[in-house]
Amino acid sequence: MNYESALEYIHAVQWAGHKPGLSRTRTLLAALGDPHKKLRFVHVAGTNGKGSTAAMLASCLQAAGYRVGLYTSPFINRFNERIQVNGEQIPDDALVRLVERVRPAADAMADVPTEFEIITALGMLWFAEEKCDIVVLEVGLGGTLDSTNVIDPPECAVITALGMDHVKELGPTIADIAAAKAGIIKPGSPVVSYGGVPEADAVIARVAKEQNAPLTVVDLSRLKVEGGDLDAVTFDFDRLDGVRLPLIGSYQPKNAALAITALRVLRGRGWNIPDSAIRTGLEQVSWPGRFELLRHSPAFLLDGSHNAHGMRATVQSLRDRFPGQKFIFLLSIMADKDVDEMLALLLPLAKRFVTVAAHTPRAMPAETLAEHIRVRGGKAEAAADIPAGVARAVELGGDDPVCALGTLYFSGDVRQAFARLTAE
C-alpha cells in the first residue's frame, strides 16, 4: 500500500447501513491486541468547543513534560492531523504500516467496521506504539455509542458546551443530547462539565451520581476577560492571571477555563501539572480553523462554526473584534443543519454573501443556500467552487473584512485557495 491507497481504504467504509454500537470497535481492537488497554485518557465530549478544549489540554500536558497523544476530527488540511503525538502528526509511512496491520483484522470481521472505527483503532495503535503517557481523546459523535467509548474509566471525562446538534442521531431534546454525551462518564472517574444549560446539567449530575463519578462544574464567575485583539485574548481565571491565549474567539477563554479546571482535577489524581505549565500550554496552543485570522489587513477569517449554537458564539466574536463593521461572508452549510437559524444570526452583520458547497455529499448546493439568503432579504451569489468563491469574496470585500464559515469541511480548501490567491 502507499499513502493514497491507505487513505482510500480508510474512507471506503461509510456509516450507511451500520448499526450504532461499540461491538465492532471492541472486536477490531481485540484482534489488534487491545492497544487501548495500555493507555490512559482524558475523554472529551460536547457539542461545541471539543476540539479547542482538547488542543488546550494536550498543549498544557505536553508543557508539563508528558508524552501526549491527541485524537480529533475532522481534519483541516491533511488526514494525519487527526492522530498526533506531542503536536506531531502521524507520519505517512507509519499510517500506511498501521493500515496494513488493521486491514486484515477488519476484513475478517462479519460486520465490517466503519471509517471512524478504523481510524480509532489506528489512533490507539499509534499512541500505544509511541508510549504516550496520556491521550486526549475527542469523541466523534455523541458519547455513549461513539467508538472512542470503548476505553476503561479515563483519568478525567470532560463535557464541553452543549447545544442542539445531531438531533437525528442523539434525540430531539437537550436532555437527550446530554444523556448521549454523559455516556462517557465511567464508574469512579472524575467529570468536569462546562455547564450552563440547566436541563442538560441535571442529566449530567444524575449520571455522575449513578456512576459514583466526582463532578466539577466550571465556575465561570471566576473568569475575567481582560481584553482581546486580533493576536490574542487575555484573561484571568482562578489564580492564573494575564494568560494570553492565541485563539482569539470571544468564547475561547471559557473553553480555557474548562481546560484549566480539568487539569487541576488531573493534578488531584497525581499528575504533575504546575500552573507554569498550564500558562505555557495555553499561550502556545494552536488550533486551526476556529476563528482563525489568515490575514490581518484587510482581515480574512476562517471559522468552523457549523451549527446555530456555534454560530452564536462566532457572531459575538465578530462583534467584539470588529465593532460596528459589516462582513462579506463566504458560506457553506450542511443541508442537515438548522440553516435558517444560522442565517438569522449572520444577516445583521452581512454586507453580502458568497455561497459554495463543501466537498461532501451532506453540503447544501451553493445556489440553494444563496436562495435561502435571498428569501430572507440578504444579497447572495453562488460560486462554482471554493477557489472561485474565495476569489469573489476577497474581490467584493475590498478593504472590508471577509469571514469564511459554516462548516469545518471546507476549511482546508479555503485555506489553500486563499494562500494561492494571495501568493499571485
Side-chain angles (χ1 to χ4, degrees):
M1 276 184 144
N2 60 17
Y3 179 73
E4 284 68 31
S5 59
L7 283 190
E8 252 170 58
Y9 171 73
I10 291 168
H11 296 319
V13 189
Q14 298 302 322
W15 252 114
H18 281 77
K19 270 207 178 78
L22 303 179
S23 61
R24 286 183 301 271
T25 309
R26 288 201 175 108
T27 303
L28 181 57
L29 287 168
L32 298 166
D34 283 330
H36 59 304
K37 302 278 188 192
K38 305 182 183 98
L39 298 164
R40 294 200 280 178
F41 297 94
V42 178
H43 205 181
V44 184
T47 307
N48 288 306
K50 287 193 304 253
S52 301
T53 304
M56 291 180 204
L57 288 164
S59 185
C60 295
L61 287 162
Q62 187 183 338
Y66 291 107
R67 189 157 182 75
V68 187
L70 176 62
Y71 181 77
T72 57
S73 59
F75 63 93
I76 303 292
N77 296 310
R78 286 192 96 229
F79 175 85
N80 306 45
E81 292 164 32
R82 297 180 65 160
I83 300 169
Q84 301 187 22
V85 174
N86 276 12
E88 298 289 325
Q89 298 170 23
I90 182 172
D92 291 0
D93 58 347
L95 184 67
V96 172
R97 175 170 56 76
L98 293 179
V99 169
E100 286 174 338
R101 192 172 153 199
V102 167
R103 185 175 188 165
D107 290 351
M109 287 166 56
D111 185 5
V112 291
T114 66
E115 177 182 13
F116 190 74
E117 290 162 350
I118 285 169
I119 299 166
T120 300
L122 293 168
M124 297 300 184
L125 282 171
W126 184 239
F127 299 139
E129 207 173 279
E130 286 289 297
K131 298 187 169 52
C132 290
D133 300 307
I134 190 162
V135 173
V136 180
L137 189 67
E138 184 195 339
V139 165
L141 173 69
T144 309
L145 299 178
D146 187 77
S147 68
T148 61
N149 209 28
V150 296
I151 62 170
D152 291 330
E155 294 298 299
C156 182
V158 177
I159 299 175
T160 69
L162 295 184
M164 298 300 285
D165 200 6
H166 298 296
V167 289
K168 195 163 90 227
E169 295 87 354
L170 304 180
T173 69
I174 195 78
D176 293 325
I177 287 169
K181 313 288 183 189
I184 68 166
I185 299 172
K186 303 274 197 310
S189 177
V191 191
V192 177
S193 170
Y194 184 96
V197 183
E199 252 183 289
D201 296 346
V203 174
I204 291 164
R206 188 194 77 234
V207 176
K209 196 172 174 202
E210 286 165 1
Q211 296 282 19
N212 197 20
L215 170 64
T216 307
V217 180
V218 181
D219 183 357
L220 290 174
S221 72
R222 309 185 75 155
L223 175 67
K224 183 166 177 255
V225 179
E226 298 288 356
D229 53 34
L230 295 182
D231 295 307
V233 53
T234 306
F235 70 90
D236 311 331
F237 178 72
D238 201 11
R239 307 185 306 283
L240 263 176
D241 291 344
V243 178
R244 271 182 64 78
L245 186 69
L247 308 181
I248 61 169
S250 301
Y251 48 89
Q252 292 293 12
K254 291 181 179 174
N255 290 332
L258 176 63
I260 293 165
T261 305
L263 290 158
R264 290 189 166 151
V265 165
L266 289 171
R267 192 191 286 171
R269 282 176 69 92
W271 292 86
N272 180 20
I273 311 165
D275 276 359
S276 57
I278 296 177
R279 177 185 296 278
T280 301
L282 290 173
E283 294 192 341
Q284 291 179 350
V285 70
S286 141
W287 194 234
R290 280 67 169 188
F291 210 79
E292 181 191 9
L293 206 59
L294 298 187
R295 181 174 70 189
H296 265 68
S297 184
F300 190 102
L301 277 156
L302 180 57
D303 185 72
S305 55
H306 53 275
N307 52 42
H309 185 262
M311 196 68 84
R312 213 163 279 120
T314 295
V315 163
Q316 188 56 55
S317 299
L318 292 172
R319 290 186 196 281
D320 291 348
R321 299 288 169 265
F322 301 89
Q325 287 188 264
K326 293 277 179 111
F327 294 80
I328 302 295
F329 286 113
L330 177 66
L331 196 64
S332 177
I333 298 180
M334 299 295 116
D336 56 1
K337 301 291 179 182
D338 191 337
V339 175
D340 290 330
E341 197 178 338
M342 290 163 81
L343 292 177
L345 291 162
L346 292 176
L347 277 159
L349 288 182
K351 262 180 96 170
R352 53 195 308 155
F353 292 85
V354 178
T355 61
V356 292
H359 291 303
T360 162
R362 287 172 50 214
M364 177 175 280
E367 186 49 54
T368 311
L369 181 54
E371 191 49 38
H372 268 272
I373 294 163
R374 292 193 282 263
V375 164
R376 299 187 76 101
K379 290 181 182 160
E381 59 187 79
D385 55 27
I386 291 168
V390 169
R392 182 65 177 141
V394 167
E395 183 190 346
L396 287 170
D399 291 333
D400 290 325
V402 174
C403 181
L405 81 171
T407 176
L408 275 166
Y409 286 100
F410 80 155
S411 300
D413 293 330
V414 169
R415 182 192 301 273
Q416 283 168 1
F418 184 72
R420 278 199 299 271
L421 185 73
T422 48
E424 283 167 9

